[in-house]
């Protein structure tokens, strides 16, 4: 990988009342250096800004260069928000995994949907998964020097020939050497295994989990946990690939296999260690484990325990529900059909409020060609097709994870505003359980679209916020 020039960091926001506001920073300014060092990314920025005395070189939005001296408390944040977490560009992926979501999309959509990242910095900052096959020695050295841990690693298989087959990259064969390096440096990872029937399942899956468990046995385990997730396929995937969908029978087989290993790990390691994504149980048509099973939810980003955690959080938030609301209100809550059964208790509780009628509409995605779909993969076209001839009541409750971060754009490039106009009904975006409850409990007046307006603190590339294999696996 060739070196990429470090660009000045583009500032898009200044926190009110912060040091940055006090000294006059404005959106559009660009941060060039801190005490003479050019930060490559948000990691460097945070490290360099920890000092008590800072000399900042800034390129103003007027294209003039300024030098700003700041004295502050150690580790006090400046209050700057950046366009991207990476100032020197994205480390792109050179693997050709047949199950990669990026390659399972139709052409012609927004450019950011096709970015293939394999960047350890996004893994450290935001928990996105990387393969470790795209790192230069300089990056390995930086991980060790700056103690960037834990990282999140797509392992898939520990047998060299199997992993190389999956990633279509001979460098993938070095995964056990990579894990030994983390162990020698006393650094940690969370591992992910995407199960592709006929390739890395069965005896290969058992070998992988047993190998990973060997790195969990010290005071600072190199592998903290492992998640086992089913491969997700769409109708747009290349027809020449060798993948087959996970069947109900395969899901039941994998659950039984991993649960046997979980009992062994509990006895040997004192932890379940290897975790099954919720989707396995939904595919198999069996009940989810109890909430107590998930310990401290080490693999929540892979949809391991996300349903039970959502139900627990709802129970807590539901205490704020009134006994009745007036005037009466009818709402439609749209989710993926993967969670239809699990979320029935939520709908039942909401409808105990006198004057409130909540209808859950659980959809599969015709757009992706799936019979079972997690909520985050539903598109505007899916919603328009399913809701256009349905009485949706006063408003639609729309989970924000269907949308591009900090925007109102679905995966098919339709916007919430376009969908609202087509359906001629207000759409309420809900970001979490608390907001779901608030929306249901608040008065029905002034129903309007409210775009997501969270601070820009995450990377601008969508591949870094879940539009990869992870996006398939959790609701």
């Amino acid at each position: 990988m060739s070196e990429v020039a470090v660009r000045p960091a583009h500032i898009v926001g200044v926190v009110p009342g912060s040091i940055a506001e006090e000294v006059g920073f404005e959106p559009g300014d660009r941060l060039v250096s801190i005490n003479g060092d050019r930060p490559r990314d948000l990691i460097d920025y945070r490290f360099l800004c920890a000092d008590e005395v800072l000399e900042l070189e800034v390129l103003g939005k007027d294209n003039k260069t300024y030098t700003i001296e700041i004295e502050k408390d150690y580790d006090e944040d400046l209050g700057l928000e950046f366009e991207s977490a990476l100032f020197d560009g994205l480390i792109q992926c050179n693997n050709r995994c047949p199950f990669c979501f990026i390659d399972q999309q139709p052409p012609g959509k927004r450019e950011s949907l096709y970015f293939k990242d394999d960047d350890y910095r996004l893994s450290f900052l935001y928990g996105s998964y990387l393969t470790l096959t795209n790192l230069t020695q300089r990056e390995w050295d930086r991980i060790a020097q700056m103690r960037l841990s834990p990282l999140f690693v797509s392992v898939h298989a520990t047998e060299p020939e199997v992993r190389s087959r999956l990633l279509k990259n001979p460098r993938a064969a070095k995964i056990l050497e990579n894990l030994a390096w983390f162990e020698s440096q006393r650094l940690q990872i969370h591992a992910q295994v995407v199960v592709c029937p006929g390739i890395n399942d069965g005896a290969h899956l058992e070998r992988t989990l047993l190998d990973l468990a060997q790195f969990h046995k010290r005071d600072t385990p190199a592998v903290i946990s492992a998640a086992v997730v089913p491969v997700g396929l769409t109708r747009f995937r290349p027809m020449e690939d060798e993948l087959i969908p996970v069947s109900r029978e395969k899901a039941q087989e994998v659950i039984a296999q991993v649960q046997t290993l979980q009992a062994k790990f509990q006895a040997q390691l004192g932890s379940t260690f290897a975790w099954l994504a919720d989707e396995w149980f939904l595919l198999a048509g069996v009940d989810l484990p109890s909430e107590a099973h998930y310990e401290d939810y080490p693999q929540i980003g892979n949809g391991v325990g996300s349903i039970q955690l959502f139900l627990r959080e709802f129970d807590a938030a539901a205490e704020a529900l009134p006994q009745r609301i007036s005037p009466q209100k009818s709402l439609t809550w749209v989710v993926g059909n993967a969670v239809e059964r699990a979320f029935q208790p939520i709908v039942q509780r909401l409808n105990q409020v006198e004057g409130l009628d909540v209808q859950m509409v659980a959809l599969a995605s015709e757009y992706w060609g799936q019979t079972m779909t997690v909520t985050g993969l539903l598109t505007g076209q899916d919603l328009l097709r399913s809701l256009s001839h349905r009485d949706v009541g006063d408003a639609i409750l729309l989970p924000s994870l269907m949308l591009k971060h900090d925007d109102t754009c679905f995966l098919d490039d339709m916007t919430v505003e376009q969908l609202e106009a087509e359906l001629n009904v207000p759409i309420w975006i809900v970001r979490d359980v608390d907001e779901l409850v608030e929306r249901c409990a608040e008065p029905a007046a002034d129903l309007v679209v409210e775009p997501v307006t969270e601070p820009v603190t995450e990377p601008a590339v969508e591949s870094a916020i879940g539009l990869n294999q992870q996006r398939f696996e959790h609701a």
Side-chain angles (χ1 to χ4, degrees), residues 275 278 281 287-295 297 305 308-309:
W275 305 90
D278 292 356
F281 301 95
D287 290 337
L288 291 158
S290 67
E291 184 194 346
H293 167 74
Y294 295 104
E295 298 176 14
Y297 293 93
Q308 292 289 19
L309 182 60

Side-chain angles (χ1 to χ4, degrees), residues 9 11 13 20 25 31 33-34 37-51 54 56 72 76-82 84-85 87 142 146:
I11 297 166
F25 275 99
L31 177 62
S33 68
I34 304 170
D37 291 319
R38 288 176 172 255
R40 293 178 54 188
D41 45 46
L42 198 57
I43 298 170
D44 275 351
Y45 166 77
R46 291 174 177 173
F47 176 78
L48 294 170
C49 282
D51 288 344
L54 304 179
L56 309 180
K72 63 178 187 61
E76 184 178 3
D77 184 59
L78 295 182
L80 294 175
E81 296 170 351
F82 298 99
S84 171
F87 311 153
R142 187 179 185 223
M146 300 195 73

Side-chain angles (χ1 to χ4, degrees), residues 192-443:
Q192 170 182 253
V193 178
V194 175
V195 175
C196 301
I199 302 178
N200 64 338
D201 57 344
H204 300 301
L205 176 60
E206 181 174 3
R207 178 74 269 150
T208 295
L209 295 180
L210 290 174
D211 283 345
L212 292 174
Q214 292 299 312
F215 292 94
H216 187 80
K217 293 183 176 179
R218 297 192 176 186
D219 293 339
T220 305
V223 180
I224 305 170
S225 67
V228 181
V229 300
V231 66
L233 304 177
T234 82
R235 64 186 176 92
F236 300 110
R237 73 183 189 276
M239 288 300 100
E240 66 271 14
D241 71 37
E242 54 187 330
L243 302 179
I244 58 176
V246 174
S247 66
R248 182 186 183 96
E249 294 72 25
K250 173 57 69 173
Q252 293 170 347
E253 173 192 315
V254 171
I255 290 172
Q257 179 185 18
V258 175
Q259 286 182 336
T260 298
L261 289 171
Q262 287 175 337
K264 181 176 181 178
F265 295 145
Q266 276 286 358
Q268 295 180 347
L269 309 176
S271 169
T272 297
F273 177 69
W275 305 90
L276 288 157
D278 292 356
E279 194 175 355
W280 288 111
F281 301 95
L282 304 176
L283 287 167
V286 299
D287 290 337
L288 291 158
S290 67
E291 184 194 346
H293 167 74
Y294 295 104
E295 298 176 14
D296 61 350
Y297 293 93
Q299 287 279 354
I300 191 68
N302 259 317
V304 176
S306 58
I307 291 176
Q308 292 289 19
L309 182 60
F310 192 91
L311 293 173
R312 186 185 77 182
E313 291 175 345
F314 174 79
D315 286 342
E319 295 180 5
L321 284 170
Q323 292 185 342
R324 65 183 63 84
I325 62 171
S326 181
Q328 295 183 354
K329 181 166 56 176
S330 176
L331 303 173
T332 293
W333 181 30
V334 184
V335 298
N337 66 340
V339 297
E340 180 176 16
R341 176 181 172 188
F343 284 2
Q344 286 296 338
I346 293 178
V347 179
Q348 293 170 6
R349 175 64 184 90
L350 291 172
N351 286 326
Q352 289 177 9
V353 177
E354 184 179 339
L356 176 63
D357 175 36
V358 176
Q359 174 188 195
M360 179 172 65
V361 176
L363 304 178
S365 176
E366 291 188 30
Y367 180 86
W368 299 113
Q370 296 176 326
T371 57
M372 180 173 287
T373 304
V374 294
T375 303
L377 282 178
L378 290 176
T379 67
Q381 293 177 51
D382 291 323
L383 271 64
L384 180 61
R385 184 181 299 111
S386 300
L387 301 179
S388 58
H389 302 294
R390 184 191 296 263
D391 180 7
V392 296
D394 298 308
I396 294 171
L397 299 170
L398 185 78
S400 64
L401 54 83
M402 294 184 197
L403 307 172
K404 178 182 177 183
H405 174 71
D406 202 33
D407 204 343
T408 60
C409 192
F410 292 94
L411 284 172
D412 59 358
D413 281 348
M414 182 181 288
T415 66
V416 171
E417 292 79 11
Q418 290 170 331
L419 180 62
E420 184 185 44
E422 290 281 355
L423 296 176
N424 194 30
V425 66
I427 296 177
W428 286 349
I429 299 171
V430 292
R431 301 167 183 80
D432 52 32
V433 173
D434 289 333
E435 202 161 73
L436 173 67
V437 169
E438 290 170 7
R439 285 301 201 178
C440 290
E442 69 185 1

Side-chain angles (χ1 to χ4, degrees), residues 102 109-115 404 460-463 467:
I102 307 302
K109 301 303 177 183
R110 59 185 182 271
E111 184 179 353
S112 57
L113 289 175
Y114 304 104
F115 288 147
K404 178 182 177 183
V461 290
E462 292 181 74
S463 54
L467 295 184

